[in-house]
Every structure is written in structure tokens, then in C-alpha cells.
Amino acid sequence: MLPLPRHFHREQRRLEQAGIVAWDQLAGLEDRALRDLGSGGGASERQLIKLRAQARLVCEVGLHPSEAALLLYAGIADRRGLAQADPQRLWVQMGRLQRSLTGMAVPALELSTLRQWIAAAQAGPGRSRN
């Protein structure tokens, strides 16, 4: 799981203090555990919830952490949401988002890649494309 983006440094520190150092550990945390971690000081419960959603996409769909983060920014919060997504619509939305975040420095996602992600999400947890 490590390292997380800079804006999650407090959450990363809190997770490490709790012995949570892998995506699968974070993906399995219940709401109460996130609340407890957030109330322990320094970490934001809201940020921890975002990280758990990212971890679930990583573990359940087999995405790279940066791919899962991009989907979250595009409004896809879980495997079921991705499984139900329209590939063409998501591709357009992701392209706009990616350009606004990275400009033209990063190559745009291929429609075929998004279709693979959707197929992996439809296949269910533990059946990643990797």
C-alpha cells in the first residue's frame, strides 16, 4: 500500500500505527474501525473512507492504486458501480478528468482498458484481470 499520495500523509501514519500496511487490510476495515482510527487523532475519517474505497477497487477488481483513485475521482466508488458503468460514457468522463488533472502529459486511457476494468468488476471479487 505504501506510499500514499502526500495529501494522505496523516492517514498513512495512523494506518501504519495501527499495523495496517496492505491494501487488503484496509479494504476489510469496517466503518467503526475507520471511525476509531479517525478519532485517534491526526487522520480524517472521511479520508480513510476514500482510501478504503480505493483499496476495495484495488483488491476486488485488480486495479493499480492510481487507476482506482482515478475512478474514485470520476464518481465510481465501488466494484458494483464500475460493473454497471457504460464504457463509452465512462471513457469520455475519465478522459476529461484525466486531462484536467494531468494535462496532456499522461496518455489518455484506452476504451479497451476501461472495458477490461468493467469486465473484471462484473466477474466479482477475487477475479482480477492481473
Side-chain angles (χ1 to χ4, degrees):
M1 175 166 72
L2 306 175
L4 296 175
R6 284 185 153 192
H7 60 280
F8 288 114
H9 70 277
R10 291 181 298 207
E11 289 72 24
Q12 180 171 345
R13 184 172 52 238
R14 186 68 182 109
L15 289 167
E16 289 172 349
Q17 289 170 349
I20 300 163
V21 295
W23 288 110
D24 61 333
Q25 291 175 302
L26 180 54
L29 290 179
E30 300 290 329
D31 290 342
R32 183 178 180 151
L34 295 178
R35 204 170 304 115
D36 291 344
L37 286 168
S39 68
S44 158
E45 181 181 350
R46 187 170 69 89
Q47 293 286 74
L48 290 167
I49 290 169
K50 286 180 185 177
L51 285 171
R52 180 183 60 186
Q54 181 179 1
R56 287 179 174 172
L57 285 169
V58 167
C59 295
E60 294 176 2
V61 182
L63 299 176
H64 186 275
S66 63
E67 295 168 338
L70 190 59
L71 281 171
L72 287 171
Y73 282 111
I76 303 293
D78 59 24
R79 181 188 58 79
R80 279 177 275 159
L82 179 57
Q84 296 171 358
D86 174 78
Q88 186 68 36
R89 179 180 282 167
L90 183 58
W91 181 66
V92 169
Q93 184 178 356
M94 296 282 284
R96 286 184 193 136
L97 178 63
Q98 191 175 15
R99 283 188 301 279
S100 72
L101 292 173
T102 62
M104 298 306 283
V106 177
L109 286 170
E110 297 287 331
L111 182 57
S112 60
T113 300
L114 288 176
R115 285 190 174 124
Q116 289 173 349
W117 295 356
I118 291 169
Q122 290 169 341
R127 297 180 184 98
S128 71
R129 64 183 171 89
N130 294 335

